[in-house]
Amino acid sequence: MNGTTTFDLPIGGMTCASCAGRVERALGKVPGVQRVSVNLANERAHIEVLGQMDPAVLIAAVDKAGYSASLPQSETKTEADQAQRLHHERWALLLAIVLALPLVLPMLAQPFGLHWMLPAWVQFALATPVQFIFGARFYIAAWKAVRAGAGNMDLLVAIGTSAGYGLSLYEWLTAPAGSMPHLYFEASAVVIALVLLGKYLESRAKRQTASAIRALEALRPEHAIRVVDGREEDVAISALKLGDQVLVKPGERFPVDGEVVDGQSHADEALISGESLPVPKQPGDKVTGGAINGEGRLLVRTVALGAESVLARIIRLVEDAQAAKAPIQKLVDKVSQVFVPTVLVLALLTLLGWWLYGASLEIAIINAVAVLVIACPCALGLATPTAIMAGTGVAARHGILIKDAEALERAHAVSAVVFDKTGTLTSGTPKIAHLAAVDGNEPLLLQQAGALQRGSEHPLAKAVLDACREQGLNVADVSASQSLTGRGIAGTLDGRPLALGNRRLLEDNGLDAGALSPSAKAWEAEGRTLSWLIEQGAQPRVLGLFAFGDTLKPGALEAVAQLKARHISSHLLTGDNRGSARVVAEALGIDDVHAEVLPADKAATVAELKKTGVVAMVGDGINDAPALAAADIGIAMGGGTDVAMHAAGITLMRGDPRLVPAALEISRKTYAKIRQNLFWAFVYNLIGIPLAAFGLLNPVLAGAAMALSSVSVVSNALLLKTWKPKDLEDPHP
């Protein structure tokens, strides 16, 4: 039986969801192709074929459909190509605006009695490059749509601008010598410039989306130290095989998923599993590629490589989650498919109707073109960009970055918010949650523990020393300090042999919890990490107990309460243990808790919640990236990883949980403005087209109506600048 072969081909020329659909259909018709998925976000086609196939066959099928395909290139070259393309789009937009401004300024000045109208040949010279050089992409895309029997916004732009441009040529060429005809070059040029603005914003958003994958890829080291027969050699990750042993030094990232063979250390897995505390590692323990090794040297046996590693699976989950099409895009495509042919039919009926009515052919043409001019999507080009720019601008001033249009369109309907725990609702760094001294002298207990931990870089040691500093306690020096591997640390203070460590230290000294047993059990049930301070010597005894854990962020309780007041339910989703998750949930009044959840399961849990409503996911780590991308709205907390921020549609610049309800509010208001703008954009068409068809609206008034619709849209969008978050203290970053 032949197996399957997969191809990932970069696709060029796609502008909308319907383009992705046409590429999928073209590739699906190739014999031997079993499954096709075209991701518009990263502009790639993932193809599964039965047996072997020459990729040239697939590339030819894409070319035949009117698009381009190529073999995959390196990440560096892909990034360079995308940056170059964005650079070209930016210059095309700027030049189009520069050429269109002299055309539109006289039209805007005319109502004030200022007659700055440019000569016809100057208008022609300015409008022609905009129409046929910068607007060429719309003609190409429109032709593809027509050939595929579909209508889209590109077709609407091409028809509307061509009508305005064509009418201007007609009026200019037929005007008596010495007279100034009515020209509509400015309408065609401005529409092109505005739509180019929308396309540029779209390209920039795509590039930002794709950068999530690049940020994930960057976590994997390119090289590893392979150990063969006691000899160390630096090799590329691609050269490793299953079973190879690699050496990981302190502070380095684990290059592979593996199992510890030799050595003891701690691993910072916060970005992978959500576990806030460093995890002890000793022979037999599993390690995950991308996690950071702590203080010890570890020899690791490779158990997973390439596509099977945890990090690679997270990357695939993010890619799959980002492949979803925006619902509003489908709606716009459907409207365009109906709107375009309807306007064409109405323009034709207008032409025939007036000609049969007895009007001259010139009058009939002018009225027909008036129908096309009033249908020009001038305000449509402004509707979304102006609302997004105004909404995102005011949000940014309050520390909220909105960079995903899908977040805007879905925010108004959010019914559930899913919070990660570590780094989102909690500080993400261990602190002393509880301590108990056998003799009741807690400051002395803290001083003794601080003396043992002095100079240590361990996160738990930092928590002890921070607590000493906060209480103004002096920390003395200890003598004969030594590390107790896998147990803790020991030293002599004022002639007393002391040791601080885990339960194994307690057992090794033949001690039990004694009077501290109830506290130990209760704190362990909360998911706390316990450390015992004991006095060694002839008669060992327990001096006290420390419980380490995460602490709630300021504002976490208020954030959950604000969401509840807006009838939005809160859920806790974490890779941390059940005890600590339960404590946090109870403190915040969250009823729905999912603990000890792996990254893959986080996305699945979010997907399950999406069946009953619109879900927003709030997180900060790599482990949250699939869930952020899978949710209807992803919200990344400031101070989190680049991956989380790229996978999310909304980024909060500060780690204040109260920004979550504020972000949902401004997103909802911005989306409401987009809907209002689209209404204003269309209402002029709905009123203007019948007036134009009956000869009550000449092209000059049609152009003025479209200009007025643009003013209405911009003015409405600017109202967003007055927004301020209501329930947030010190809203400015």
Side-chain angles (χ1 to χ4, degrees), residues 365-707:
I365 291 173
I366 288 175
N367 288 337
V369 172
V371 172
L372 291 172
V373 170
I374 194 70
C376 251
C378 189
L380 280 176
L382 280 170
T384 303
T386 53
I388 289 175
M389 288 170 73
T392 53
V394 70
R397 290 204 302 273
H398 296 283
I400 303 164
L401 292 184
I402 305 169
K403 56 182 180 180
D404 190 338
E406 190 169 353
L408 292 173
E409 74 180 69
R410 301 290 285 164
H412 69 287
V414 166
S415 58
V417 175
V418 180
F419 288 97
D420 173 52
K421 181 179 77 71
T422 306
T424 303
L425 293 173
T426 64
S427 62
T429 54
K431 292 186 178 179
I432 297 176
H434 312 284
L435 75 160
V438 172
D439 61 1
N441 192 345
E442 292 182 354
L444 177 61
L445 182 77
L446 192 57
Q447 271 185 307
Q448 292 170 331
L452 286 172
Q453 298 280 29
R454 188 171 180 178
S456 174
E457 296 297 323
H458 195 282
L460 297 186
K462 188 176 181 300
V464 172
L465 294 169
D466 286 347
C468 290
R469 262 194 307 274
E470 287 170 7
Q471 297 190 26
L473 301 174
N474 293 320
V475 178
D477 286 321
V478 296
S479 58
S481 179
Q482 60 173 333
S483 176
L484 306 174
T485 306
R487 293 164 180 80
I489 191 168
T492 303
L493 180 66
D494 299 330
R496 299 171 66 189
L498 303 178
L500 180 69
N502 54 24
R503 185 171 285 278
R504 285 178 64 185
L505 175 70
L506 212 63
E507 293 168 354
D508 288 352
N509 286 269
L511 297 170
D512 58 33
L516 297 177
S517 181
S519 297
K521 287 179 180 176
W523 296 343
E524 273 187 322
E526 293 179 6
R528 308 298 188 187
T529 300
L530 303 185
S531 284
W532 303 83
L533 183 66
I534 66 169
E535 183 176 357
Q536 295 177 310
Q539 292 186 331
R541 63 190 182 103
V542 176
L543 299 178
L545 172 62
F546 295 84
F548 298 90
D550 235 347
T551 53
L552 288 177
K553 280 186 175 182
L557 185 62
E558 293 94 323
V560 174
Q562 288 172 29
L563 292 171
K564 191 175 181 180
R566 298 173 192 179
H567 306 290
I568 299 172
S569 61
S570 297
H571 308 256
L572 189 61
L573 181 62
T574 178
D576 217 339
N577 62 72
R578 297 184 187 280
S580 60
R582 180 173 51 78
V583 170
V584 170
E586 287 176 355
L588 297 175
I590 297 175
D591 297 324
D592 192 25
V593 181
H594 303 266
E596 299 176 5
V597 183
L598 296 172
D601 297 329
K602 281 194 173 188
T605 305
V606 170
E608 192 63 31
L609 286 170
K610 283 172 68 175
K611 293 178 181 177
T612 56
V614 179
V615 177
M617 170 71 195
V618 188
D620 72 320
I622 294 171
N623 60 302
D624 304 318
L628 287 167
D632 296 297
I633 301 169
I635 303 176
M637 298 291 282
T641 65
D642 289 341
V643 173
M645 294 184 181
H646 287 308
I650 299 174
T651 297
L652 308 180
M653 298 303 290
R654 304 193 306 281
D656 189 341
R658 291 173 296 182
L659 284 173
V660 173
L664 292 180
E665 184 189 0
I666 185 58
S667 298
R668 180 176 56 78
K669 286 184 178 293
T670 305
Y671 181 70
K673 289 298 179 190
I674 291 174
R675 293 183 66 180
Q676 292 167 17
N677 284 351
L678 289 172
F679 167 78
W680 284 113
F682 276 113
V683 77
Y684 284 94
N685 287 324
L686 293 173
I687 297 171
I689 288 174
L691 291 175
F694 287 104
L696 301 173
L697 190 68
N698 63 36
V700 175
L701 291 175
M706 294 314 296

